[in-house]
Amino acid sequence: MKQHRLRDKILRNYVVMAVVLMVSISLAVSLRYRSEIIGQYRNMALSYAKIVAAYIDGDRVEGYLETGERDAYYEEVMDFLNLHLENSDIKYLYVIVPEEDDYICIWEADSSDYEMNLGEHGEYRKSDSREIVYAAFSREPEIRLLHITSEAEGSIVCLYYPVYDSSGEPVAVVGVDLSVPMLNRKILSVSLMIVGCIVVIVLLAIGFCIRNMRRNVERPIRILNGVAQGIVDHLEEKDTLVIPVHTGDEIEELARAFEGLHRELVEYIQRLYTVTAEKERVGAELSVAAKIQEDMLPGIFPTFSDRDEFELFASMNPAKEVGGDFYDFFLVDEDHLALVIADVSGKGVPAAMFMVKAKTLIKNAAQMGLSPKAVLEKANNQLCENNETEMFATAWIGILTISDGCMVCANAGHEYPAIRKEGGSFELFRDRHGLVLAGMENMHYSEYELRFMPGDAIFVYTDGVTEATSGANELFGTERMLRALNRKEHASCSELFAQVQGDIDAFVGDAPQFDDITMLTLCYRGKHSEHLHEKSTV
C-alpha cells in the first residue's frame, strides 16, 4: 500500500501543478492578448478617424451647419463613411460639431442600430463625454478612449479626432465607436484556442512524468525502503552495512548515503557515551564552582550581629551556573564599613574567574586603608596587567564612617545608586562615572561624599535588575525598580530586597534570565555600639 500512496501523492501534485499552471498561463496569455487587441483596435480606430478627417474638407462644415442642405460633396463623404463602416469592425462612424450642452451631427454612416441626420442635435452619452470630445477638438488634440454601456447601444468604446479647416482651426470631430462584445468574442476565441493547446501539452507532460516516475523512482525506492528499515537493527553491529542498490542515479547516491549514515551513527553513539560522561563531570565541577562562588560572597543575614548602627542585605542570582556579578561588604576597621558591587563583562566561567580576581584586589586595597578613589585606581592597574582576554568590570565602592554617617564613594562605570532619606522616597543619585576597571591603565577616578542620617538607606545594583526582560521583550527599567523600592515606607533591607525581586519575577514571568541580578542594600540607624562609645570616652 505504501508504494501506491507515494504514486498517488505525486499524481495529485502533478494534477494540482498542472491546474495551477494552466490557469496561470491562460490568465497571463488572455490578459496579454486582450491588452494587445485593445491596443490594436485603438490604433485601427485612430487610423480610420485620421483618414476620415483628412478626407473631409473642413471649410464646408460651417456651410452645412447654416443651410442644412446636402449636396454632391456631402453624399460623396457619406459614401466614403459607409464604405469604411462596411469593410471594418467599426460599429458607428460619424462627424459631429461639439457645443457646450450637446453636439450637432454633420455626417453619420448608415447603421441598422442608430442613425442621425444632418443638423440634428444629440446629447453627450456620459458626464465625461463632453470633456473627452473637447480634448480632441483642439489644435493639439488629446486622444482618449471613452467606454460607454447603455441598453440601446450596448457596451462600446469611443475615440475622437479633429477635422481642421484651411486655417488649421478645428471645426468638427470624427467619432469612431467599437463594439466591446465584438472585441471580447475575438479575445475569447483566441484564448480558448491557446488554453486548449496548453491543456494538451500539460496532459502529455503529466503522462510522461508518471511513466518515468514509475520506472526510475518507485521501483528503486521500494527496494531501498526494505533495506533502510533494517539500519537501526545493525547499529549495534560493527560490520559495515552494504545496500545492494545500483541504479546509477540519485537513488544509488541515496543508498550510499544510508551506508554512510549507518557508519556515522555507530561512531556518534560511541562519541555520545564519551561526551555524556564528560558533561556529567563538567556539570559536577560547575556545581562545585557555583558553591565556591556562593561561599565567597557574604550570605548570612542579618550580618554583624554585634553592630546595631546599620542593617545589610544582599543577593546575587547568576544567569548561568556561575556569574560575573559580585557584591561585598566588610569592616575596614571598627568605624569604617566598605560596600562594593561590581559587574564583570561576559557570562559563565571566564566572567566568574575575572570576578574572583577583581573582588580580591578591591578588598585587599580597601583593607589597606586606601580611599575609594585610590582603591579603584590600584585595582584598575592590577586588572590591566596581562588582560589578554580584554575583559573589564564596572564597580561602585562606598566606605561608610559608621560613627557619623559620612560615606565616601567612587564609581567606575557602574549603575547610579538609589538613596532614600528618612521620611522620603528612593531616588537615583546621579554620581560621576569613571572608566570601567581594566579598561585602561593609570586611570584617575573621582570620589564624592554622602551624608547618612538615622533612617536613611542606599540601594546599589547591577544592570541585570533594570535590564530584566519580559516575554514581550520589554525591559524592567529604572522606574519600575524605584516603584518597587518605594512601595512601603520605612521598609527594612530584607523587605526592600523582597519588593524588588518580587516585582522582577512577576514582570519576567517564564522568560529566560539573560543577565546576573545582584542587589545590595544598607539601612543606616546611626546608633553607636558599646565598644565605640567606650573608645570615644577614653
Side-chain angles (χ1 to χ4, degrees):
M1 288 297 295
K2 291 185 179 179
Q3 62 269 26
H4 295 297
R5 291 180 195 163
L6 175 61
R7 183 179 60 194
D8 294 342
K9 185 184 293 186
I10 294 177
L11 181 59
R12 285 196 298 270
N13 289 337
Y14 279 147
V15 172
V16 172
M17 181 183 67
V19 172
V20 172
L21 185 64
M22 287 188 294
V23 172
S24 302
I25 295 177
S26 300
L27 287 176
V29 170
S30 297
L31 292 175
R32 176 69 177 176
Y33 182 72
R34 178 182 180 84
S35 175
E36 291 183 358
I37 285 294
I38 291 176
Q40 291 175 4
Y41 271 83
R42 178 189 182 280
N43 294 334
M44 180 196 72
L46 182 59
S47 297
Y48 277 117
K50 287 182 177 180
I51 291 172
V52 172
Y55 186 83
I56 294 174
D57 183 359
D59 293 332
R60 299 195 181 195
V61 171
E62 185 176 354
Y64 291 131
L65 288 177
E66 292 176 354
T67 64
E69 295 180 358
R70 300 187 178 194
D71 56 11
Y73 178 77
Y74 183 92
E75 297 300 335
E76 179 185 337
V77 173
M78 182 64 76
D79 293 338
F80 183 80
L81 295 180
N82 289 331
L83 179 64
H84 281 80
L85 183 66
E86 293 172 0
N87 295 289
S88 69
D89 292 325
I90 298 173
K91 186 171 184 178
Y92 300 116
L93 182 58
Y94 48 89
V95 180
I96 61 173
V97 176
E99 293 190 334
E100 186 68 24
D101 298 323
D102 56 10
Y103 61 86
I104 302 173
C105 177
I106 305 299
W107 284 279
E108 170 79 20
D110 294 338
S111 171
S112 58
D113 297 333
Y114 186 74
E115 183 178 351
M116 291 184 67
N117 296 317
L118 172 63
E120 288 188 15
H121 287 255
E123 296 181 352
Y124 292 111
R125 291 158 164 166
K126 288 180 62 178
S127 58
D128 56 345
S129 298
R130 176 186 174 280
E131 178 185 349
I132 294 175
V133 171
Y134 267 91
F137 189 65
S138 171
R139 279 180 173 269
E140 297 180 359
E142 179 185 354
I143 309 302
R144 288 186 285 171
L145 291 177
L146 172 66
H147 186 265
I148 299 173
T149 302
S150 67
E151 294 183 2
E153 299 175 312
S155 183
I156 59 174
V157 175
C158 311
L159 181 142
Y160 301 95
Y161 191 81
V163 176
Y164 299 103
D165 60 14
S166 57
S167 63
E169 290 295 328
V171 294
V173 291
V174 178
V176 179
D177 295 355
L178 300 176
S179 173
V180 173
M182 179 271 296
L183 295 179
N184 290 336
R185 285 193 298 272
K186 289 182 175 291
I187 293 171
L188 179 61
S189 63
V190 175
S191 298
L192 289 176
M193 181 182 65
I194 295 173
V195 170
C197 294
I198 293 173
V199 170
V200 172
I201 293 172
V202 170
L203 290 177
L204 291 175
I206 290 176
F208 174 79
C209 291
I210 292 174
R211 180 175 176 275
N212 186 65
M213 181 268 297
R214 287 177 178 173
R215 185 179 68 244
N216 298 322
V217 178
E218 185 177 346
R219 292 173 186 171
I221 286 181
R222 190 183 303 119
I223 297 172
L224 184 60
N225 182 52
V227 176
Q229 288 178 355
I231 286 184
V232 176
D233 298 333
H234 294 281
L235 286 179
E236 299 298 330
E237 301 176 5
K238 295 184 179 179
D239 296 336
T240 302
L241 179 65
V242 178
I243 301 176
V245 174
H246 306 282
T247 58
D249 55 16
E250 288 81 3
I251 302 297
E252 183 176 349
E253 292 179 5
L254 182 61
R256 304 290 83 80
F258 272 114
E259 294 173 353
L261 175 63
H262 176 265
R263 291 192 299 271
E264 292 179 3
L265 282 175
V266 172
E267 295 173 1
Y268 174 76
I269 290 173
Q270 297 300 321
R271 291 196 303 269
L272 185 60
Y273 289 141
T274 304
V275 170
T276 301
E278 180 67 16
K279 186 175 181 180
E280 290 176 353
R281 183 186 66 79
V282 172
E285 292 180 356
L286 282 176
S287 297
V288 173
K291 179 61 178 173
I292 293 173
Q293 185 181 47
E294 181 181 351
D295 293 341
M296 289 185 64
L297 304 180
I300 300 175
F301 301 99
T303 188
F304 303 117
S305 57
D306 59 333
R307 308 301 295 264
D308 57 3
E309 301 96 332
F310 56 85
E311 177 191 0
L312 284 167
F313 203 90
S315 74
M316 196 276 283
N317 183 17
K320 294 187 176 181
E321 290 83 355
V322 290
D325 286 4
F326 71 87
Y327 66 86
D328 201 1
F329 51 83
F330 50 86
L331 288 171
V332 178
D333 54 41
E334 292 299 318
D335 195 31
H336 290 88
L337 172 68
L339 305 178
V340 181
I341 190 167
D343 184 357
V344 176
S345 62
K347 305 287 182 297
V349 175
M353 295 179 66
F354 195 86
M355 161 262 184
V356 171
K357 183 178 179 181
K359 178 180 181 299
T360 303
L361 292 175
I362 291 174
K363 185 171 184 178
N364 289 343
Q367 288 182 328
M368 292 172 61
L370 299 179
S371 67
K373 169 181 179 298
V375 168
L376 294 182
E377 291 172 352
K378 183 176 181 64
N380 174 67
N381 286 336
Q382 292 173 322
L383 290 171
C384 285
E385 295 176 1
N386 301 319
N387 185 21
E388 296 181 0
T389 60
E390 298 185 351
M391 298 189 73
F392 60 89
T394 66
W396 178 93
I397 180 171
I399 298 179
L400 172 68
T401 302
I402 302 172
S403 58
D404 62 8
C406 178
M407 178 182 284
V408 181
C409 311
N411 193 326
H414 199 71
E415 305 295 316
Y416 296 124
I419 299 175
R420 181 190 68 190
K421 292 298 183 180
E422 172 63 19
S425 301
F426 274 98
E427 296 179 357
L428 289 184
F429 182 81
R430 302 187 181 276
D431 56 4
R432 183 176 179 182
H433 287 186
L435 188 66
V436 296
L437 299 181
M440 183 182 297
E441 290 183 336
N442 300 320
M443 289 300 302
H444 295 286
Y445 296 89
S446 61
E447 58 187 27
Y448 57 93
E449 290 187 1
L450 297 175
R451 180 68 63 176
F452 286 90
M453 302 298 291
D456 294 352
I458 185 171
F459 176 82
V460 288
Y461 53 95
T462 60
D463 58 6
V465 173
T466 55
E467 294 179 4
T469 307
S470 68
N473 205 30
E474 184 180 3
L475 298 181
F476 185 70
T478 304
E479 294 301 322
R480 289 188 178 89
M481 181 190 74
L482 293 176
R483 284 200 297 269
L485 290 171
N486 293 319
R487 182 169 294 111
K488 179 182 178 182
E489 270 188 70
H490 307 296
S492 65
C493 289
S494 59
E495 289 174 332
L496 291 172
F497 166 81
Q499 290 169 188
V500 176
Q501 187 63 53
D503 280 17
I504 291 176
D505 293 341
F507 177 79
V508 171
D510 297 331
Q513 180 181 338
F514 295 105
D515 201 359
D516 305 334
I517 297 177
T518 305
M519 297 177 280
L520 172 62
T521 307
L522 167 73
C523 296
Y524 183 69
R525 293 175 179 166
K527 298 180 180 178
H528 294 277
S529 63
E530 266 183 32
H531 61 276
L532 277 177
H533 179 70
E534 290 173 358
K535 183 178 179 180
S536 64
T537 58
V538 174

